[in-house]
Amino acid sequence: MTEKDDIRERILEAARERFLHYGYGKTTMAEIARDCDMSPGNLYRFFQGKLDLAEEIASRATVETMEELAKAIRAPGKSATQAMRDYLFGKLRMTYTNLEKDPKIIELAHTVSAERPTFSTDMLERERSIMMEIIANGRELGEFATNDVNFTAEMIQSATMKFSYPQLWSRLTLDNLERELSGVFDLVLGGLCPDRTLFVGGERPQTDEDNVQKTG
C-alpha cells in the first residue's frame, strides 16, 4: 500500500466512525479532516466531497457482504435449492444485524441511493450476478426449469427486495421477516420447479405414486 493509499484508508475510517456515530447529515468534511490531523483543503485532494466518502463506504460494505455470501453458496456438494436459500436468508440476517448494530447506516444508504442512482444500479447488478450463478447451476443440475437465467434472477431479486435491506422497508422483527421470506421462497421454488416440490437439500419428497411403484 502506498502512502497515498494509506491516507485514503485513514480518511475513510475516520468518515465511517463519524457517519455511524453522528450520522451523515451531522458530519462535516472539516470534522473528518480534523480527525485525520489534516486541513480540509488537503482532505479534498483525496475526496471531492462527503458524498464520495459515503458512496465508497457503502460500496465496500456491500461488496464484503456479497463476497461472504458467494463463498457460502459455492460450498462443495450443495444443491442449488440450498444455495439459493442460504443466499437469501444469509443476506437477510447479515444486513438486518448490521443495520440494527449501526442504525445510522440507514441514513447513509438512503442518501447515497438518492444522490447516486448508479450506485444502487451497480449494487443490484452485483447481487443479481450471484443469483444468476445459482439459477444457472440449478438448471444444469436439473433442479430448476427456466429458459432465461437473467430474467429469472431479476424477478427473484424483485420479489425479495424487501429482505435485502429490511429496515428500509419495515420495522418487523427478524423472526417475522424470516417467516415472510420462507413463504416467498416456497413460492419462488414453485415457479422454478413446477413439476416437483424440493426439500431444502434438493431432494424430491416421496409421493403416493412413488410408493405404488415401489410396492408394484
Side-chain angles (χ1 to χ4, degrees):
M1 181 179 293
T2 65
E3 182 179 359
K4 183 176 181 180
D5 291 334
D6 184 61
I7 294 174
R8 281 179 59 87
E9 291 302 316
R10 287 197 294 113
I11 294 171
L12 286 167
E13 183 56 32
R16 184 178 184 278
E17 290 182 5
R18 280 273 174 185
F19 292 156
L20 296 186
H21 185 75
Y22 298 103
Y24 177 84
K26 294 183 179 180
T27 296
T28 67
M29 290 290 276
E31 289 170 334
I32 296 172
R34 187 169 63 247
D35 291 343
C36 296
D37 295 322
M38 64 172 60
S39 68
N42 193 25
L43 177 60
Y44 281 104
R45 291 175 52 205
F46 295 89
F47 293 94
Q48 294 182 2
K50 189 169 66 169
L51 186 59
D52 295 281
L53 283 164
E55 183 177 13
E56 179 70 16
I57 291 167
S59 177
R60 289 189 180 192
T62 302
V63 169
E64 288 175 4
T65 298
M66 291 301 102
E67 288 178 348
E68 188 171 342
L69 290 170
K71 290 179 183 177
I73 69 166
R74 293 167 184 158
K78 181 171 292 190
S79 69
T81 304
Q82 182 67 58
M84 182 179 293
R85 183 179 179 86
D86 288 349
Y87 172 68
L88 293 174
F89 279 84
K91 184 167 59 171
L92 166 61
R93 290 163 185 160
M94 290 175 67
T95 55
Y96 183 92
T97 300
N98 289 337
L99 290 175
E100 286 296 294
K101 182 177 66 176
D102 296 313
K104 287 187 169 57
I105 292 178
I106 297 176
E107 178 194 5
L108 193 69
H110 270 307
T111 302
V112 174
S113 296
E115 298 295 329
R116 297 281 171 84
T118 55
F119 167 80
S120 296
T121 301
D122 291 343
M123 293 303 103
L124 287 173
E125 287 181 356
R126 183 180 293 275
E127 293 181 6
R128 192 161 59 248
S129 67
I130 299 178
M131 181 60 69
M132 289 173 63
E133 179 183 336
I134 295 171
I135 295 169
N137 185 47
R139 188 170 66 173
E140 290 180 8
L141 294 173
E143 290 184 50
F144 300 155
T146 177
N147 294 322
D148 192 332
V149 171
N150 192 14
F151 177 79
T152 302
E154 184 181 355
M155 293 305 101
I156 293 176
Q157 185 180 53
S158 297
T160 58
M161 188 71 69
K162 174 182 179 178
F163 308 105
S164 295
Y165 304 96
Q167 287 94 326
L168 295 180
W169 310 100
S170 74
R171 290 305 304 168
L172 291 175
T173 65
L174 181 57
D175 286 343
N176 284 332
L177 287 164
E178 289 192 357
R179 173 182 171 276
E180 288 187 356
L181 180 55
S182 182
V184 172
F185 181 68
D186 288 343
L187 291 174
V188 167
L189 281 186
L192 282 172
C193 320
D195 60 338
R196 60 179 178 172
T197 302
L198 292 177
F199 279 132
V200 171
E203 297 179 359
R204 183 171 62 86
Q206 295 296 308
T207 64
D208 291 339
E209 182 180 351
D210 292 326
N211 293 329
V212 169
Q213 291 178 350
K214 284 182 179 179
T215 57

